[in-house]
Amino acid sequence: MDIATLSLIATTLAVFIGPMVSWRIATRQITTSSALARDQMRASSEASSKQITAPMRQAWINNLRDLLAELTSSSLHYYVSGYEDRSDEDYQRVTLLVDKIQFMLNPNENDHQRLEVLIKKMVSSIENRKPDVFPEIHTEVINLARSILKREWDRVKEPMSVEVSSS
């Protein structure tokens, strides 16, 4: 074969194979760019969601902490001061606190269910004048409440775990 024929063959191959290779490279780049854009949109959506829910969760934690503190301190006050020194308003306030706390707890979480039971036992021990069981239950309520609040706080402050895959 002479040089002219080889040049003609090489030119023909370049004309037909070159665009096919370019088309294949462009297709891969489009697929990769599309996957990357989808991952970035998902990451952005998750970050936005975290930015919206974190302040609401923090407000829930603060509110629950305040209600628990008021209930446990009021209960301890009633335990120490005696049963006769309470008015109907005092009983109503304790009942209101218990109800508010119940509405804030998640009935699907075991420790939330346990806290609800302990709170009812604590209040019942005061109402039914069982002072011998109150201190232990009061301590259990505080310890479990601390554990729940700590776990929820860790959820608020945990960094966003968004992974962007490189396809």
Side-chain angles (χ1 to χ4, degrees):
M1 272 200 241
D2 62 355
I3 292 186
T5 306
L6 286 175
S7 293
L8 183 61
I9 292 172
T11 304
T12 304
L13 288 174
V15 166
F16 291 108
I17 293 177
M20 288 178 18
V21 169
S22 295
W23 175 77
R24 185 161 174 109
I25 290 171
T27 302
R28 281 190 180 169
Q29 287 177 339
I30 289 170
T31 302
T32 302
S33 295
S34 175
L36 182 60
R38 194 176 3 182
D39 289 345
Q40 287 174 341
M41 287 185 339
R42 181 182 48 81
S44 176
S45 174
E46 289 175 6
S48 295
S49 176
K50 175 103 173 142
Q51 289 174 346
I52 291 169
T53 58
M56 290 188 298
R57 181 177 289 272
Q58 183 60 50
W60 173 81
I61 291 169
N62 292 342
N63 194 8
L64 181 60
R65 181 184 298 112
D66 290 344
L67 292 170
L68 287 165
E70 185 176 351
L71 177 65
T72 55
S73 66
S74 295
S75 298
L76 183 60
H77 170 72
Y78 299 150
Y79 170 74
V80 172
S81 68
Y83 307 103
E84 296 76 26
D85 294 340
R86 286 179 280 160
S87 65
D88 285 343
E89 290 81 26
D90 294 331
Y91 285 111
Q92 287 174 346
R93 181 65 187 161
V94 167
T95 302
L96 178 64
L97 291 169
V98 170
D99 289 346
K100 281 184 173 185
I101 291 168
Q102 279 182 298
F103 285 124
M104 294 184 77
L105 296 177
N106 184 345
N108 298 323
E109 293 191 30
N110 290 334
D111 54 353
H112 287 226
Q113 293 170 359
R114 188 165 161 250
L115 181 62
E116 188 175 334
V117 168
L118 285 173
I119 286 172
K120 287 178 182 178
K121 283 182 180 179
M122 180 181 71
V123 172
S124 175
S125 72
I126 294 173
E127 291 173 350
N128 297 325
R129 300 180 183 191
K130 297 180 181 176
D132 52 328
V133 297
F134 176 82
E136 183 180 332
I137 295 173
H138 182 262
T139 302
E140 285 184 59
V141 167
I142 289 175
N143 290 337
L144 183 56
R146 283 179 176 165
S147 172
I148 291 170
L149 292 170
K150 172 68 170 119
R151 186 186 70 233
E152 296 299 333
W153 169 243
D154 289 342
R155 284 184 187 172
V156 168
K157 70 177 186 169
E158 75 185 10
M160 288 175 280
S161 58
V162 177
E163 297 175 14
V164 178
S165 63
S166 56
S167 302

